[in-house]
Amino acid sequence: MTALSSTQYAQVFPLNAAMNLTANLHPANTAKDVFENLSKPMKERFFDYQTWRNRIFERHSNLAHMLSTGYFLAEKFGNLADANARLKRADEALKLGNVKFGHINLSVSDDELCDIAEQKARYCELKIAKNGHNLHVFAQLEELAYSFNIDAPVLVSPYCSTLSATSLVGALNRFADPIWWRRKLRKIQAVTIEQLARDLRLVHKKASAYVSQPTIQNRRDRKRKSEQIMSDLFVVPNESNPFEEFETLQSIIERSHTSGKQQAAELMVRIRGFEELADMHGHRGEFYTLSAPSRFHSVHHTGIPNKKYNGSTPQEAQEYFNDIWKRARALFAKQDLRPYGFRVVEPHHDGCPHWHMLLFMEKGDASQVRNILRKLCTQDTPDEFKSKTTRFKAIAINKNKGSAAGYIAKYITKAVTGDCIDKITCSQAGEINVLPADAAERASTWASTFNIRRFQQIGGPSVSLWRELRRLGQGEQGKCEVANAMKTTLDTVSKYALEKVRQAADSSDWKAFCLAMGGVQVKRKDQTLRLHYQIPDIVDQITGEISRSETQSPYFATKYGDQPANRILGVAWDAVVVITRRGTSQILTETDIKAQRKIMIGVSEQIQGWHDDGRLFEPTKEEMQFLEACVLEDYQNMCLFMDYEALAGNIMSDEIANLDLCH
């Protein structure tokens, strides 16, 4: 049998690997150390540190190898006292809760964490069942949640500033939901373990770039389980034929704008559109890189711990950049500077974020924008600068050397898919020995763990509106939806602004879309179209009318019983609303679909039996001639009308077909 490597052994036996790694670490025996030990209290002088750290490793067996590696490095670059202090802080960080409500060990597996969530939800459910839905119970459960660093649900309804009965019921029902607890605990666990790995100096290019190995492994396991579940679920539109072929949830996710290749393609389309607009208006493009001060970096590019690091998290570093950008926008507004473009956030090798910005502006504004950003980026700890570009680096886009989109394209592909990249480099640490696809996965995991928005558009029209218009369908299908909403024909709809905006979105032309929306620098309130938000009501599939009745809308309340927030229903142009989210779907398993098919086969056989027995008759020729005589043709709108006055004496009906002006 082939012997396991040290890495494989640590994965299979993390506790044994941890004990073996730290077994030979003992206090130094120099005269100075002996004298310092004699000056300590008797309890500390003969304390068995090996047994103490082994108990910590056993308590957190899933993370034992990570803790022991950090302990070993702390002793190597410092001393045993520093290593013991770090291990003690790690043990305390992994213990969540207090004496009153108990503690949660954050080093447990995901399955164990789900069981803990079930227990907490059950406790809340019993508390509510015993005492009812009232503020006293809410205060008790709020204290429970706060003990585990979880914010309680907000009581105020989205549509009023005062407490309502439904909002109290909804908040309490959230406490009793295991999924609510599971999401909160998973988030806390991920952030705690990842920040702990950074504090132990285990996240850098020579160990594990961007994120720690336990975090990336946990993400892969959960993603694999999720893909398996999604592949077994099918999206079945209401009133569809069960004998049709249906898409799986996984296939829909893969082609959504959040999937890797689709996300990268959409970002490049928008960046290219901004560049074309800048060329048309004679604007100048500049590329900026913003870096954080030394206190946010846990290690140097060599992997040696940074003594200036103060334990800051990537979230705090992101807040530092957000504050700089907030102040910069205020100064831009005072001087009437209106840059537009994109911002990309990516991690350094040690997990500390830095910003890349591609901005377009009028040529005369470039120096002002550059000076404002440089001044704001260099105000913090200026004594750390090694060069003028340490905190802020500006590059003027040279069209002779390449397009503006090319400057930022590699950062997008590196962060999303890793395609067409030979090697991964870090501006702080140089080349990183990791495959491009793995680097993209690690960057995505890093952003998800710390809830960091990686891509943000600066200026320009709403991309959500762009996506909603693309939901209408391609070509004539989308055009027909707009024509029906405006109650006009296909021949005349093209002259309206609504159709021009839709056509630009349909053809993936961001430049034309920006121009049709009023320009790249137009304010949001002055844009041609706007998103139409509404309480998610049911849309009648026959008339196209929106039902505002609480009793008729299945979406008027959330699953927790309180009032839902507004959702996007469509796009609006003046008084015209184009509904982009019609109809509803069911999520069914393959077993459910097979059962529906069996039911339909039984119904079909029953109807065929009626036909064979003569109980199901077709209309006679005379009846068909009478019905055809009652039909009126409208050649201009290409549709048929029924003369109900002619039918009044023979047929009574409450149903009126919807008016489709396109067919």
Side-chain angles (χ1 to χ4, degrees), residues 295-359:
R295 67 177 181 276
F296 294 106
H297 295 273
S298 59
V299 297
H300 295 290
H301 67 279
T302 57
I304 297 176
N306 176 22
K307 294 182 179 180
K308 294 182 180 180
Y309 177 59
N310 64 356
S312 298
T313 66
Q315 291 168 319
E316 291 170 337
Q318 180 71 358
E319 290 173 3
Y320 163 81
F321 287 121
N322 284 331
D323 182 64
I324 288 179
W325 182 240
K326 187 187 301 182
R327 288 186 288 160
R329 286 189 290 114
L331 294 173
F332 291 162
K334 287 182 180 179
Q335 301 183 29
D336 197 25
L337 305 174
R338 305 188 67 182
Y340 58 94
F342 269 88
R343 181 215 71 188
V344 177
V345 182
E346 67 170 356
H348 279 300
H349 72 115
D350 63 345
C352 178
H354 63 286
W355 283 20
H356 296 293
M357 304 183 75
L358 176 63
L359 297 181

Side-chain angles (χ1 to χ4, degrees), residues 120-345:
K120 299 303 177 186
R122 181 58 178 166
Y123 171 84
C124 296
E125 184 181 7
L126 293 175
K127 181 74 71 174
I128 296 169
K130 181 179 179 180
N131 301 288
H133 293 79
N134 55 65
L135 284 173
H136 179 67
V137 175
F138 178 83
Q140 291 179 324
L141 300 185
E142 183 181 36
E143 184 183 3
L144 169 69
Y146 284 159
S147 70
F148 298 111
N149 295 339
I150 296 174
D151 293 331
V154 179
L155 283 179
V156 179
S157 169
Y159 305 109
C160 61
S161 58
T162 57
L163 175 64
S164 63
T166 56
S167 62
L168 177 61
V169 170
L172 290 173
N173 288 341
R174 282 174 172 80
F175 279 122
D177 183 13
I179 296 178
W180 184 85
W181 280 95
R182 185 191 309 171
R183 288 172 179 168
K184 300 292 184 180
L185 292 176
R186 275 177 173 172
K187 191 66 181 177
I188 294 173
Q189 182 191 47
V191 172
T192 302
I193 292 176
E194 189 55 33
Q195 184 57 27
L196 183 61
R198 296 186 74 243
D199 291 340
L200 295 174
R201 276 61 168 180
L202 299 177
V203 179
H204 55 85
K205 74 170 192 175
K206 294 187 177 181
S208 180
Y210 302 163
V211 292
S212 64
Q213 197 58 38
T215 297
I216 194 68
Q217 191 60 49
N218 185 43
R219 174 70 180 270
R220 288 171 180 170
D221 293 341
R222 287 181 55 189
K223 185 178 180 181
R224 182 172 59 253
K225 292 179 182 178
S226 176
E227 288 178 352
Q228 183 177 358
I229 293 173
M230 297 301 179
S231 299
D232 294 335
L233 296 175
F234 296 85
V235 180
V236 181
N238 286 347
E239 301 181 3
S240 61
N241 187 345
F243 293 96
E244 297 176 0
E245 294 294 328
F246 301 109
E247 288 185 292
T248 63
L249 268 178
Q250 182 60 29
S251 63
I252 292 177
I253 292 171
E254 289 174 354
R255 75 164 193 269
S256 69
H257 70 273
T258 57
S259 66
K261 292 185 177 180
Q262 295 290 343
Q263 185 181 25
E266 184 191 78
L267 286 168
M268 291 308 301
V269 165
R270 290 154 61 193
I271 292 171
R272 173 64 67 181
F274 274 152
E275 184 178 15
E276 292 173 351
L277 281 166
D279 292 340
M280 183 180 74
H281 293 301
H283 291 172
R284 178 174 180 172
E286 295 211 341
F287 186 78
Y288 304 133
T289 300
L290 285 66
S291 300
S294 180
R295 67 177 181 276
F296 294 106
H297 295 273
S298 59
V299 297
H300 295 290
H301 67 279
T302 57
I304 297 176
N306 176 22
K307 294 182 179 180
K308 294 182 180 180
Y309 177 59
N310 64 356
S312 298
T313 66
Q315 291 168 319
E316 291 170 337
Q318 180 71 358
E319 290 173 3
Y320 163 81
F321 287 121
N322 284 331
D323 182 64
I324 288 179
W325 182 240
K326 187 187 301 182
R327 288 186 288 160
R329 286 189 290 114
L331 294 173
F332 291 162
K334 287 182 180 179
Q335 301 183 29
D336 197 25
L337 305 174
R338 305 188 67 182
Y340 58 94
F342 269 88
R343 181 215 71 188
V344 177
V345 182

Side-chain angles (χ1 to χ4, degrees), residues 392-420:
F392 178 78
K393 183 178 181 180
I395 301 176
I397 304 298
N398 188 344
K399 301 292 289 186
N400 296 327
K401 294 183 179 180
S403 66
Y407 277 81
I408 203 170
K410 71 173 183 178
Y411 298 105
I412 291 175
T413 54
K414 183 170 69 171
V416 178
T417 61
D419 295 340
C420 304

